[in-house]
């Protein structure tokens, strides 16, 4: 009898704590998802040298867009933005400077590299937003596909779509080595901005959450470079 | 006054004809010419207009847009075109046994040597190169600007990097065919050295094509530790088989066995053909598979592995059997299948398609040419695509008896 009472009491406390915690989760802005603060597994030891070492990183809590910013959305900010007539629902392909300006204009910001990677792969170090297996039907591999038009429509652990393939996504950070990485590169420094998520038509390995690409912030060189925005959680 | 008028008319005619006469070869075949005549004329156009120091250009844009010589165009796929021309010339040599035809195979090999030399890194091949000491306008038009480099090993040249798995296959395939069909002792030594450095570097980097910035190229993934497509498994097995055969080095055989025994690349290779969804059932993957099968069949003696490679080939043939031959490359597949399996799948429809092969054309278009001050000016010029696959189909078919010399 004593055991049952303690069990029920424990259960009550746990459920109460969970309920309290749930009530603390702030409501995301429209079109955004909430990512809690905490540690996650970042980087990889089997990809390019710049992805290593696989390490534990942490972020604060933040909101991040569920989808990439579309051509239609970007056009409202920049009336000179052009795109193919049938691609209203495709990611806006822009430079880092343009992406950054857009985000600021609506009170948001670009995610940091850590935030992007955490939003994409969760905390368990998975290769892709949905897990570790791969199929062409999971990703935006074909350029004719718009936002969330994949066959399988997978989402990340926090509810983000299209974080693999489609357009690469700009993040805030300069392209620099991770702590503990001693492989030299003349590309490091305040020269290039990091892009994540891989682009349509490239090898599947580039669509891994840990993959890093780099480009100048003011010239996308014909690469498919889009973005999504993040926002601080105000309490 | 009359003299002045004549001068103006003459000048006008000269200006009008400038883009036309800037090309070396201008004669195109008529559609009703016999097949062998058409092939000879296409070949003259390729040699005259597309040959860039032994490497064949997929696409050329003529002056006034294409600087001082007609060698500028999209260059991402030059190795595919060069590979097709190498195969064409090797099979032609197999048919004719003429020394000048063999020499043309050696000439392409020398071009390939230059494709490695221009990068300055042993085992790293360029996609293409241009003899120029400053960036050309089309570098930013056709591909990613960041991938063009100034050569330090060949001053006065610029080269395009970011080699793909597709071009990896093309290099291995063309060296393999050259080695078997046209190489003399010296040629075999050069070809073996090239493939040793090229495939050796991939093995050394855990089966990745690594570019000069130490990162894997956008398409260069054969790595067992990374997710990769089944077609890439087939491709690396073929390359390792060829490298082992040409160099005699055990490391390639050991790598081949390791990928099969530990990572099951043979099983993955069975699924190289994407049959569904239809949007990914694509001819460029078929071409790569075809070149890979060519390197594996006839050299693999293990019946179990041969069975798996045949299963993969049959999955391709399932799709190829319904071909309407809308693309010239598709005509090659039934001939290859027939040679590899001994089962003749070359139908009347295939023969009809072979006899009607047409490919190359020249058009006048406007190109957005970036000027020295950064502005963009639309300039009218002629451009020309290539006939490499048609010529390859023809000589392959002649060598294996699918095509009659009188057609």
């Amino acid at each position: 009898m004593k055991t049952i009472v303690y069990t029920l009491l424990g259960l009550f406390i746990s459920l109460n704590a969970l309920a309290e915690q749930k009530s603390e989760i702030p409501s995301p802005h429209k079109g955004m998802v909430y990512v809690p603060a905490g540690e996650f597994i970042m980087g990889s030891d089997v990809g390019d040298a710049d992805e290593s070492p696989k390490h534990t990183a942490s972020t604060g809590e933040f909101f991040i867009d569920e989808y990439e910013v579309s051509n239609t959305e970007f056009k409202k900010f920049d009336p000179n933005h052009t795109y193919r007539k049938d691609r209203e629902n495709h990611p806006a392909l822009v430079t880092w400077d343009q992406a950054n300006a857009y985000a600021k204009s609506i009170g948001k910001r670009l995610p940091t590299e850590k935030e992007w990677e955490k939003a994409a792969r969760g905390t368990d170090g998975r290769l892709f937003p949905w897990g570790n297996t791969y199929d062409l039907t999971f990703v935006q591999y074909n350029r004719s596909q718009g936002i969330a038009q994949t066959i399988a429509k997978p989402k990340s652990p926090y509810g983000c779509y299209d974080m693999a393939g489609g357009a690469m996504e700009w993040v805030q950070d300069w392209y620099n080595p991770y702590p503990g990485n001693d492989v030299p590169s003349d590309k490091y420094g305040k020269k290039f901005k990091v892009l994540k998520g891989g682009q349509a038509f490239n090898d599947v390995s580039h669509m891994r959450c840990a993959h890093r690409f780099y480009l100048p912030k003011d010239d996308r060189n014909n690469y498919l470079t889009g973005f999504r925005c993040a926002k601080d959680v105000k309490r | 006054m009359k003299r002045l008028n004549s001068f103006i008319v003459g000048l006008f005619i000269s200006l009008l004809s400038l883009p036309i006469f800037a090309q070396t070869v201008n004669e195109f075949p008529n559609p009703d010419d016999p097949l062998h005549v058409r092939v000879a004329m296409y070949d003259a156009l390729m040699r005259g207009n597309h040959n860039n120091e032994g490497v064949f250009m997929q696409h050329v844009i003529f002056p006034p847009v294409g600087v001082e010589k007609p060698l500028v165009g999209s260059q991402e796929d030059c190795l595919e075109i060069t590979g097709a021309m190498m195969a064409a010339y090797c099979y032609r040599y197999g048919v004719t046994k003429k020394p000048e035809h063999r020499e043309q195979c050696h000439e392409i090999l020398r071009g390939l040597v230059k494709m490695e030399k221009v990068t300055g890194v042993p085992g790293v091949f360029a996609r293409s190169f241009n003899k120029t000491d400053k960036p050309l306008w089309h570098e930013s038009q056709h591909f990613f600007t960041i991938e063009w480099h100034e050569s330090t090993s060949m001053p006065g040249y610029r080269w395009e990097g970011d080699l793909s798995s597709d071009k990896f296959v093309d290099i291995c395939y063309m060296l393999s065919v050259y080695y078997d069909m046209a190489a003399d002792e010296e040629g075999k030594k050069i070809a073996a050295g090239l493939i040793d450095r090229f495939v050796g570097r991939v093995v050394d980097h855990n089966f990745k094509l690594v570019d000069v910035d130490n990162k894997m190229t956008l398409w260069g993934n054969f790595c067992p530790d990374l997710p990769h497509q089944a077609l890439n498994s087939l491709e690396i097995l073929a390359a390792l088989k060829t490298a082992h055969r040409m160099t005699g080095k055990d490391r390639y055989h050991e790598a081949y066995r390791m990928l099969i025994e530990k990572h099951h690349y043979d099983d993955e290779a069975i699924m190289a053909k994407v049959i569904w969804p239809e949007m990914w059932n694509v001819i460029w993957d078929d071409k790569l598979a075809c070149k890979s099968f060519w390197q594996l069949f006839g050299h693999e003696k293990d019946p179990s592995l041969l069975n798996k490679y045949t299963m993969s080939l049959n999955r391709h043939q399932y799709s190829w059997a319904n071909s309407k031959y809308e693309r010239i490359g598709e005509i090659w597949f039934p001939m290859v299948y027939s040679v590899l399996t001994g089962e003749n799948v070359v139908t009347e429809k295939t023969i009809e398609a072979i006899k009607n092969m047409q490919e190359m054309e020249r058009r006048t278009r406007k190109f957005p040419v970036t000027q020295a001050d950064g502005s963009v000016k639309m300039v009218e010029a002629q451009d020309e695509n290539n006939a490499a696959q048609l010529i390859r189909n023809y000589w392959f078919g002649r060598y294996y008896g699918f095509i009659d010399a009188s057609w």
Side-chain angles (χ1 to χ4, degrees):
Chain A
M1 186 61 185
K2 212 175 182 180
T3 312
I4 294 170
V5 170
Y6 278 124
T7 306
L8 285 174
L9 187 65
L11 206 60
F12 175 76
I13 292 168
S14 303
L15 285 172
N16 204 33
L18 264 179
E20 271 176 24
Q21 193 187 11
K22 202 175 177 186
S23 68
E24 281 176 11
I25 293 174
S27 303
H29 296 255
K30 193 184 170 200
M32 299 187 95
V33 297
Y34 171 74
V35 181
E39 294 182 334
F40 73 104
I41 297 170
M42 187 176 187
S44 165
D45 290 330
V46 294
D48 288 338
D50 62 0
E51 296 171 28
S52 72
K54 189 174 182 176
H55 59 285
T56 303
S58 66
T59 68
E61 57 183 352
F62 61 96
F63 297 122
I64 189 164
D65 285 346
E66 203 175 357
Y67 302 104
E68 290 154 324
V69 173
S70 72
N71 280 319
T72 307
E73 288 167 317
F74 196 83
K75 181 93 177 171
K76 287 177 194 160
F77 162 70
D78 178 3
N80 296 322
H81 178 63
T82 55
Y83 52 89
R84 239 175 63 172
K85 225 178 179 181
D86 58 342
R87 296 196 169 173
E88 293 90 350
N89 187 36
H90 284 230
L93 303 180
V94 296
T95 65
W96 185 93
D97 284 337
Q98 289 173 303
N100 191 47
Y102 172 92
K104 278 185 176 172
S105 76
I106 55 169
K108 296 182 181 177
R109 59 176 173 78
L110 291 178
T112 64
E113 185 175 4
K114 281 181 186 175
E115 287 171 340
W116 191 98
E117 191 163 326
K118 184 175 175 182
R121 72 196 299 197
T123 57
D124 59 9
R126 60 184 59 186
L127 290 177
F128 298 107
W130 55 85
N132 293 325
T133 56
Y134 175 82
D135 188 87
L136 283 169
T137 61
F138 297 178
V139 299
Q140 298 281 21
Y141 192 80
N142 191 299
R143 284 184 201 202
S144 65
Q145 292 170 315
I147 289 168
Q149 294 300 304
T150 56
I151 290 173
K153 296 183 176 56
K155 56 182 176 183
S156 80
Y158 298 109
C160 295
Y161 289 87
D162 300 332
M163 294 190 98
M168 292 189 274
E169 298 182 21
W170 293 108
V171 295
Q172 273 187 28
D173 307 53
W174 293 105
Y175 180 58
N176 274 312
Y178 292 152
N181 182 318
D182 54 6
V183 182
S185 170
D186 60 0
K187 310 295 182 213
Y188 290 145
K190 289 190 174 180
K191 301 174 189 170
F192 301 102
K193 289 289 186 181
V194 175
L195 293 122
K196 303 286 283 183
Q199 62 179 352
F201 200 50
N202 287 159
D203 182 80
V204 303
S205 167
H206 291 257
M207 298 171 196
R208 288 175 302 112
C209 304
H211 186 260
R212 312 176 79 197
F213 199 71
Y214 60 87
L215 281 174
K217 70 190 191 73
D218 56 354
D219 187 356
R220 66 182 186 88
N221 285 326
N222 294 339
Y223 288 94
L224 307 180
T225 58
F227 69 106
R228 73 182 69 217
C229 300
K231 194 172 170 66
D232 293 332
V233 175
K234 296 264 167 53
R235 287 184 181 274
Chain B
M1 187 62 184
K2 202 174 172 185
R3 189 177 284 180
L4 182 65
N5 280 347
S6 303
F7 172 73
I8 291 168
V9 170
L11 185 67
F12 184 65
I13 290 171
S14 302
L15 285 173
L16 269 184
S17 58
L18 184 66
I20 299 165
F21 291 108
Q23 297 85 336
T24 310
V25 181
N26 294 294
E27 275 192 88
F28 280 76
N30 291 315
D32 50 357
D33 283 334
L35 179 60
H36 65 273
V37 172
R38 296 204 303 272
V39 169
M41 292 179 80
Y42 285 133
D43 188 40
L45 283 158
M46 288 297 289
R47 291 192 64 73
N49 300 342
H50 289 248
N51 189 348
N52 182 17
E53 302 184 36
V55 176
F56 281 88
M57 312 291 282
Q58 70 202 73
H59 169 225
V60 292
I61 307 171
F62 298 104
V65 171
V67 289
E68 80 281 5
K69 59 177 183 173
L71 289 173
V72 183
S74 47
Q75 291 176 253
E76 292 85 68
D77 298 325
C78 286
L79 279 161
E80 181 190 358
I81 304 313
T82 304
M85 291 304 289
M86 174 68 105
Y89 286 174
C90 286
Y91 290 116
R92 180 174 61 176
Y93 173 63
V95 171
T96 68
K97 292 293 174 195
K98 287 182 179 172
E100 62 266 33
H101 290 161
R102 191 182 204 186
E103 177 51 33
Q104 287 175 357
C105 304
H106 300 330
E107 188 185 318
I108 296 178
L109 184 74
R110 290 193 289 273
L112 204 54
V113 168
K114 205 172 272 187
M115 290 281 258
E116 181 195 31
K117 190 180 169 195
V118 75
T119 71
V121 182
V124 174
F125 281 69
R127 281 175 174 269
S128 192
F129 58 70
N130 287 313
K131 191 172 184 181
T132 175
D133 53 7
K134 56 180 185 292
L136 299 177
W137 68 272
H138 79 290
E139 291 180 8
S140 60
Q141 297 294 323
H142 293 284
F143 203 51
F144 311 128
T145 319
I146 204 170
E147 307 300 349
W148 279 91
H149 308 268
E150 196 176 320
S151 175
T152 50
S153 50
M154 282 171 54
Y157 281 80
R158 287 177 64 79
W159 61 279
E160 186 175 1
D162 196 39
L163 203 72
S164 63
S165 54
D166 296 19
K167 307 305 163 271
F168 174 84
V169 172
D170 287 316
I171 290 172
C172 295
Y173 169 74
M174 81 172 94
L175 287 173
S176 160
V177 175
Y178 171 77
Y179 189 88
D180 291 342
M181 301 286 300
D184 50 18
E185 280 312 305
E186 180 62 17
K188 283 191 177 186
K189 207 172 135 190
I190 295 169
L194 282 174
I195 204 150
D196 193 19
R197 291 189 295 279
F198 183 49
V199 179
R201 185 176 153 89
V202 171
V203 174
D204 290 343
H205 285 88
N206 196 18
F207 304 94
K208 296 176 199 164
L209 270 170
V210 173
D211 218 331
V212 286
D213 67 352
N214 254 334
K215 283 175 73 68
M216 189 175 80
T217 65
L218 289 176
W219 290 271
N221 176 19
F222 312 100
C223 178
D225 297 325
L226 291 173
H228 54 267
Q229 288 176 277
L231 176 60
N232 293 39
S233 303
L234 176 70
E235 291 168 353
I236 189 68
L237 291 179
L240 291 168
K241 183 60 95 179
T242 296
H244 178 239
R245 191 164 65 81
M246 287 171 60
T247 66
K249 290 189 177 177
D250 286 343
R251 67 180 304 224
Y252 297 116
H253 181 64
E254 283 161 14
Y256 179 82
R257 294 303 314 178
M258 188 268 285
L259 290 180
I260 289 169
E261 286 160 17
K262 193 173 167 194
H263 299 287
H264 312 291
Y265 271 38
D266 51 338
D267 294 326
E268 291 177 3
I270 297 174
M271 304 304 287
K273 175 69 182 169
V274 178
I275 292 174
W276 184 89
E278 192 57 38
M279 68 198 282
W280 291 307
N281 182 351
V282 288
I283 184 176
W284 49 86
D285 281 356
D286 291 341
K287 288 194 273 188
L288 298 168
C290 218
K291 290 167 201 169
S292 302
F293 289 133
W294 190 259
Q295 296 171 72
L296 286 165
F297 279 76
H299 303 296
E300 179 53 68
K301 305 297 176 203
D302 181 329
S304 167
L305 288 176
L306 263 180
N307 183 45
K308 290 178 182 177
Y309 299 151
T310 307
M311 286 169 69
S312 185
L313 178 60
N314 286 336
R315 291 182 83 254
H316 285 79
Q317 173 60 16
Y318 172 81
S319 168
W320 299 344
N322 298 317
S323 171
K324 292 180 182 141
Y325 301 124
E326 286 165 348
R327 291 168 185 251
I328 210 84
E330 293 174 66
I331 296 171
W332 189 45
F333 302 149
M335 292 194 280
V336 171
Y337 184 91
S338 301
V339 174
L340 294 182
T341 64
E343 179 193 348
N344 192 354
V345 295
V346 174
T347 62
E348 280 303 313
K349 196 170 86 173
T350 318
I351 297 295
E352 198 58 29
I354 290 171
K355 286 181 176 173
N356 290 326
M357 288 193 295
Q358 317 274 346
E359 195 173 31
M360 212 166 179
E361 64 171 355
R362 189 179 292 175
R363 300 166 299 180
T364 300
R365 291 195 295 160
K366 283 191 172 175
F367 294 90
V369 181
T370 308
Q371 307 295 299
D373 63 359
S375 63
V376 176
K377 187 179 165 191
M378 296 304 289
V379 181
E380 190 170 275
Q382 291 186 312
D383 74 328
E384 185 173 284
N385 58 6
N386 72 85
Q389 292 182 85
L390 185 151
I391 300 168
R392 187 269 326 274
N393 289 355
Y394 178 78
W395 286 109
F396 184 92
R398 283 285 306 277
Y399 182 77
Y400 286 104
F402 297 107
I403 296 175
D404 193 280
S406 66
W407 291 358

